[in-house]
């Protein structure tokens, strides 16, 4: 099929590769424009742009698709279908209608649960036992279109957003290739009204750890925000990000280190931190981290320092309609 691909972040790259690998003709690749990044604030192309250029594909990154010129350029590609995954621009009706089979979105949740920008984070933060991928026929609403294919997968007890992101990206890549093979035979299933939830972008204020929550909630908080933006707490005068955790037995005052191995008491139960990061350092497994910064038994984390004035910004592994 003649395909227009629309995606921007790392999540979308395996999908582009899978479509090309399945023999589809990629008419053009749409992604977000390069953004200033790094210390020098030089403009850096998105992961999709970088990979598409390596593959020798035409790349377009309009700031908007609302103008008649941009819409005419899209229509002129005469695509059979557009595949959209974490693109980042809202698609006007003229764009949705241009390809012969319309626009298909790869969304990283079991719709109608977790429509919107950060479905992977929200599934872990909320303690969902499973999530998955839907191939959805796009329409004007936010992730409201009928679903052509869906597949679920279990969320692991110690799984982070980063790990789940990679598994869902692989699943989405496989599922879209199947969908395109069977496009004429698939029956779109209208999403039910019941069970609709929205996955809001992750706000920096959410990254502050609250040790008074249960161990299960603290573990989900740490794993749901790993690797980015990273749940954080204070250890003395040092701000540290916690990037991996498991629930373990233990009781104590919330935030209290119960041993020298980074087991921390919560409102009920305790968590073993398995991965952490100091300011200015890379993420480390717990043994390596503790060689550089001791968290001795009896130390209380987060005491009095947890306030939202530290830096950060909104984020989201964007896999919805606005985001894709």
């Amino acid at each position: 099929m003649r395909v227009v691909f629309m995606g921007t972040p790392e999540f979308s790259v395996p999908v582009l590769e899978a479509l090309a690998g399945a023999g589809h003709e990629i008419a053009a690749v749409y992604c977000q424009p390069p953004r200033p990044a790094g210390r020098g604030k030089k403009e850096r192309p998105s992961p999709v742009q970088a990979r598409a250029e390596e593959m020798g594909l035409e790349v377009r990154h309009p700031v908007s698709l609302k103008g008649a010129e941009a819409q005419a350029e899209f229509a002129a590609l005469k695509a059979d279908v557009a595949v959209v995954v974490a693109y980042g621009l809202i698609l006007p009706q003229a764009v949705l209608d241009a390809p012969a089979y319309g626009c298909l979105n790869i969304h990283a949740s079991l719709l109608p649960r977790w429509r919107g920008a950060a479905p992977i984070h929200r599934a872990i933060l909320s303690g969902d036992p499973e999530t998955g991928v839907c191939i959805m026929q796009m329409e004007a609403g936010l992730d409201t279109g009928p679903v052509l294919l869906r597949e679920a997968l279990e969320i692991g007890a110690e799984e982070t957003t980063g790990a789940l992101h990679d598994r869902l990206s692989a699943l989405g890549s496989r599922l879209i290739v199947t969908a395109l093979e069977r496009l004429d035979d698939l029956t779109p299933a209208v999403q039910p009204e019941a069970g609709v939830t929205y996955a809001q972008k992750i706000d920096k204020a959410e990254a502050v750890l609250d040790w008074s929550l249960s161990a299960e909630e603290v573990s989900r908080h740490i794993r749901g925000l790993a690797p980015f933006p990273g749940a954080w707490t204070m250890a003395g005068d040092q701000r540290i990000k916690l990037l991996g955790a498991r629930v373990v037995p233990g009781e104590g005052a919330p935030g209290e280190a119960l041993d020298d191995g980074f087991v921390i008491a919560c409102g009920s139960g305790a968590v073993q931190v398995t991965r952490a990061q100091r300011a200015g350092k890379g993420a480390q497994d717990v043994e390596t981290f503790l060689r550089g910064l001791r968290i001795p038994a009896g130390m209380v984390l987060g005491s009095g320092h947890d306030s939202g004035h530290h830096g950060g910004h909104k984020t989201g592994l964007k896999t919805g309609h606005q985001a894709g």
Side-chain angles (χ1 to χ4, degrees):
M1 297 184 83
R2 185 170 167 83
V3 177
V4 174
F5 182 79
M6 310 180 85
T8 297
E10 197 64 49
F11 185 87
S12 312
V13 172
V15 181
L16 174 60
E17 294 172 338
L19 291 169
H24 295 290
E25 178 191 359
I26 311 297
V29 172
Y30 279 71
C31 55
Q32 289 283 300
R35 301 269 192 253
R39 291 188 177 171
K41 293 298 179 192
K42 290 183 179 175
E43 289 209 335
R44 183 181 297 171
S46 69
V48 163
Q49 179 177 344
R51 185 68 184 105
E53 288 174 349
E54 284 175 7
M55 295 166 72
L57 300 171
E58 180 188 345
V59 176
R60 300 178 178 182
H61 37 68
V63 176
S64 168
L65 290 168
K66 292 178 181 173
E69 186 178 349
Q71 292 175 13
E73 288 173 353
F74 183 86
L77 291 167
K78 298 198 181 318
D80 295 313
V81 68
V83 171
V84 185
V85 52
Y87 175 38
L89 285 184
I90 290 176
L91 305 188
Q93 195 64 47
V95 170
L96 295 174
D97 294 341
Y101 287 92
C103 300
L104 301 185
N105 180 232
I106 302 172
H107 186 77
S109 80
L110 297 175
L111 293 166
R113 186 159 179 80
W114 302 131
R115 294 174 179 173
I120 305 176
H121 296 80
R122 296 296 174 195
I124 292 181
L125 287 167
S126 299
D128 292 4
E130 65 172 14
T131 185
V133 166
C134 287
I135 307 297
M136 178 190 70
Q137 187 83 49
M138 293 178 72
E139 56 184 36
L142 175 62
D143 299 328
T144 56
V147 173
L148 297 172
L149 273 182
R150 69 170 62 224
E151 190 169 320
L153 52 78
E154 284 187 25
I155 298 175
E158 297 179 25
E159 194 157 22
T160 63
T161 284
L164 183 56
H165 163 282
D166 293 349
R167 288 207 296 145
L168 289 168
S169 180
L171 174 57
S173 303
R174 177 167 59 80
L175 223 51
I176 190 64
V177 170
T178 301
L180 294 186
E181 284 173 0
R182 297 171 47 198
L183 207 46
D184 287 321
D185 303 322
L186 294 173
T187 304
V190 175
Q191 291 184 40
E193 292 297 317
V196 173
T197 58
Y198 288 93
Q200 303 294 337
K201 283 185 179 181
I202 302 298
D203 188 273
K204 64 180 180 181
E206 294 181 72
V208 187
L209 269 171
D210 179 357
W211 294 106
S212 70
L213 298 173
S214 71
E216 180 58 46
E217 290 171 302
V218 170
S219 168
R220 295 194 321 237
H221 193 169
I222 291 170
R223 293 182 293 108
L225 299 186
F228 194 78
W232 63 270
T233 192
M234 299 299 293
D237 61 355
Q238 293 219 38
R239 174 176 160 172
I240 55 175
K241 285 185 179 181
L242 308 184
L243 300 170
R246 66 172 70 99
V247 176
V248 294
E251 295 294 338
E256 179 188 357
L258 299 180
D259 63 7
D260 293 344
F262 224 153
V263 172
I264 309 295
C266 303
S268 59
V271 295
Q272 160 83 61
V273 175
T274 58
R275 194 165 180 79
Q277 182 176 9
R278 293 162 65 186
K281 306 275 186 182
Q284 297 173 315
D285 62 63
V286 65
E287 293 83 4
T288 307
F289 179 87
L290 291 173
R291 285 201 287 272
L293 180 67
R294 287 186 65 233
I295 308 289
M299 183 178 196
V300 178
L301 301 183
S303 52
H305 294 281
D306 289 353
S307 63
H309 68 270
H310 294 273
H313 49 273
K314 291 188 178 182
T315 182
L317 287 165
K318 297 174 185 150
T319 47
H321 170 54
Q322 271 182 317

